[in-house]
Amino acid sequence: EGKNGAIVNLSSIGCMSFQDQGRVSVAYAASKAGVLSFSRAIAIAYARKGIRVNTVVPGVMDTPLVSNRLVTQLGVTDAQSFIAKRHASVPMGRMGDAWDVANAVLFLASDEARYITATQLVVDGGMTAARPAI
């Protein structure tokens, strides 16, 4: 009714570089790339109606997924070394956290981003820029 709105979707750098520490996940990469394409198409379809659609693209994040499930799933015997290696893989020297993603989403949903649509905001501490182009 207000003739405006903002939608922020979430993807992953997994759709920009297909390998993480030697592992490749075809389905994950394809699904996250689909989110980017879907968001851009919806953004253009609804731009004249005042609805902005953007995507936040997180990199490696320090979450319970890493410290619990991922360590178990990969059969890691030294969780601290595994986590330290993930921190070291980021040019900024640390993984991001939920606040890093939340603040990006908040910005794109805010009026300060009123002229931003059909784009993605990569929140990865420089990881994708530091990796070889694919």
Side-chain angles (χ1 to χ4, degrees):
E1 291 180 18
K3 301 285 185 190
N4 63 31
I7 298 170
V8 181
N9 291 317
L10 292 171
S11 183
S12 168
I13 64 166
C15 73
M16 297 177 174
S17 60
F18 307 112
Q19 187 169 277
D20 180 25
Q21 298 179 3
R23 294 176 294 122
V24 177
S25 177
V26 175
Y28 186 78
S31 68
K32 296 304 179 178
V35 170
L36 290 179
S37 293
F38 171 77
S39 297
R40 289 177 56 145
I42 294 296
I44 299 309
Y46 287 92
R48 297 239 181 228
K49 295 181 185 222
I51 299 172
R52 298 178 294 108
V53 183
N54 293 292
T55 307
V56 171
V57 185
V60 292
M61 296 290 144
D62 192 5
T63 67
L65 171 72
V66 173
S67 58
N68 296 325
R69 194 178 99 199
L70 198 55
V71 167
T72 303
Q73 190 177 38
L74 297 176
V76 173
T77 55
D78 183 358
Q80 293 301 345
S81 293
F82 175 75
I83 292 169
K85 186 176 180 182
R86 286 178 64 92
H87 280 299
S89 72
V90 181
M92 291 184 78
R94 67 171 182 84
M95 289 186 277
D97 62 26
W99 288 109
D100 296 314
V101 176
N103 287 326
V105 171
L106 184 61
F107 167 68
L108 288 173
S110 74
D111 288 339
E112 283 79 12
R114 68 180 179 257
Y115 198 61
I116 301 172
T117 195
T119 195
Q120 53 270 349
L121 177 55
V122 179
V123 181
D124 73 348
M127 283 189 79
T128 53
R131 289 184 177 175
I134 54 171

